[in-house]
DNA sequence: TATATATTCAACCATATGGATGAATATATT
DNA sequence: AATATATTCATCCATATGGTTGAATATATA
């Protein structure tokens, strides 16, 4: 696989493998753009930790940030998760191709056995 | 979200967020069931590390193991990744619903402005 | 200008992770 | 019975991660 895509995949998967970050993302997708303090109110965690999580999501391109004065508006950019779906689908298609091939082989074997069994 | 599913999601995502483990999984999906030493030959890493990675994949239910004497046959079980697709799709549908609602609101605002502009 | 607010940065800590190596276990083979 | 093979377990190490707190920065408000 393309090494660039592979790294992007790693970054994206690591980012969403944390439950707090998944929750942040979901919140942003549900409620729309929001500022950091606003987001943080939903969690027991310190604001600083939330800010750190946002940074991780940002470097995975899962969110974008618009700075208005001292306020940062955070918006989900869920398109960046496409790479995950792509990987899942490619894996699934490889899987199905192999199962099909296997089925064909078994069919062939069966016929062969029938021949020799005549 | 259901806490059980959420934990499963975390385990699964953490498992596939490592490039070596994704590669192992892909190899198994492509080539079919294989034993540990066989798998390890494809990598520069020590056999022990591969064995450890396999254990991680196993506890995420991404592979299954059949023990035949001293040999362990490892097989990919990619269905367990369904939880990821489910999550991605649910997120996407929330996203689309919000965008639709937003579009309706904007449409309403537009009409409203037209009215007041008469 | 002084103060309050929004946010990040820096340092610290405990625990997790990914790798290595060497020993242990279980099973085959001679 | 002795040896070889397949695999995991235990330990160790360096680095990453997720959290905390306190300081710094930037902007708004009184």
């Amino acid at each position: 696989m393309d090494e660039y895509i592979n790294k992007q995949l790693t970054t994206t998967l690591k980012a969403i493998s944390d439950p707090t970050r998944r929750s942040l993302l979901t919140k942003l997708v549900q409620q729309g753009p929001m500022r950091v303090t606003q987001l943080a109110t939903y969690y027991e965690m310190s604001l600083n930790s939330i800010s750190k999580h946002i940074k991780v999501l940002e470097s995975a391109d899962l969110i974008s940030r618009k700075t208005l004065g001292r306020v940062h508006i955070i918006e989900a950019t869920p398109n960046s998760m496409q790479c995950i779906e792509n990987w899942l689908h490619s894996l699934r298609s490889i899987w199905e191709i192999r199962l099909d091939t296997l089925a064909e082989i078994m069919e062939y074997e069966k016929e062969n056995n029938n021949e020799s069994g005549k």
Side-chain angles (χ1 to χ4, degrees), chain A:
Chain A
M1 188 191 310
D2 188 301
E3 201 46 41
Y4 170 72
I5 291 181
N6 203 26
K7 277 192 178 157
Q8 194 202 350
L9 204 41
T10 301
T11 313
T12 312
L13 287 169
K14 278 203 190 304
I16 64 167
S17 74
D18 180 86
T20 305
R21 284 193 293 264
R22 277 202 305 281
S23 167
L24 283 165
L25 210 51
T26 306
K27 194 67 83 180
L28 285 165
V29 163
Q30 282 171 342
Q31 322 259 83
M34 214 181 296
R35 40 203 185 98
V36 180
T37 16
Q38 175 65 22
L39 258 173
T41 58
Y42 296 107
Y43 301 85
E44 314 231 308
M45 208 174 297
S46 76
L47 168 67
N48 298 32
S49 298
I50 297 294
S51 164
K52 235 168 138 184
H53 278 304
I54 290 176
K55 211 171 115 188
V56 174
L57 289 170
E58 191 179 17
S59 48
D61 260 325
L62 287 161
I63 60 145
S64 74
R65 181 192 304 258
K66 202 178 289 174
T67 306
L68 298 175
R70 64 184 165 179
V71 164
H72 297 207
I73 302 291
I74 310 298
E75 176 169 23
T77 53
N79 288 343
S80 53
M81 290 191 297
Q82 188 60 46
C83 63
I84 301 176
E85 283 221 71
N86 291 346
W87 184 75
L88 290 174
H89 289 165
S90 81
L91 202 64
R92 165 170 308 176
S93 92
I94 297 171
W95 175 255
E96 278 165 6
I97 286 167
R98 196 175 60 74
L99 289 194
D100 285 353
T101 313
L102 216 62
E104 276 173 34
I105 290 170
M106 285 175 71
E107 192 59 32
Y108 174 81
E109 295 287 327
K110 198 175 109 191
E111 279 171 29
N112 222 19
N113 284 352
N114 286 351
E115 288 300 317
S116 63
K118 261 187 189 163

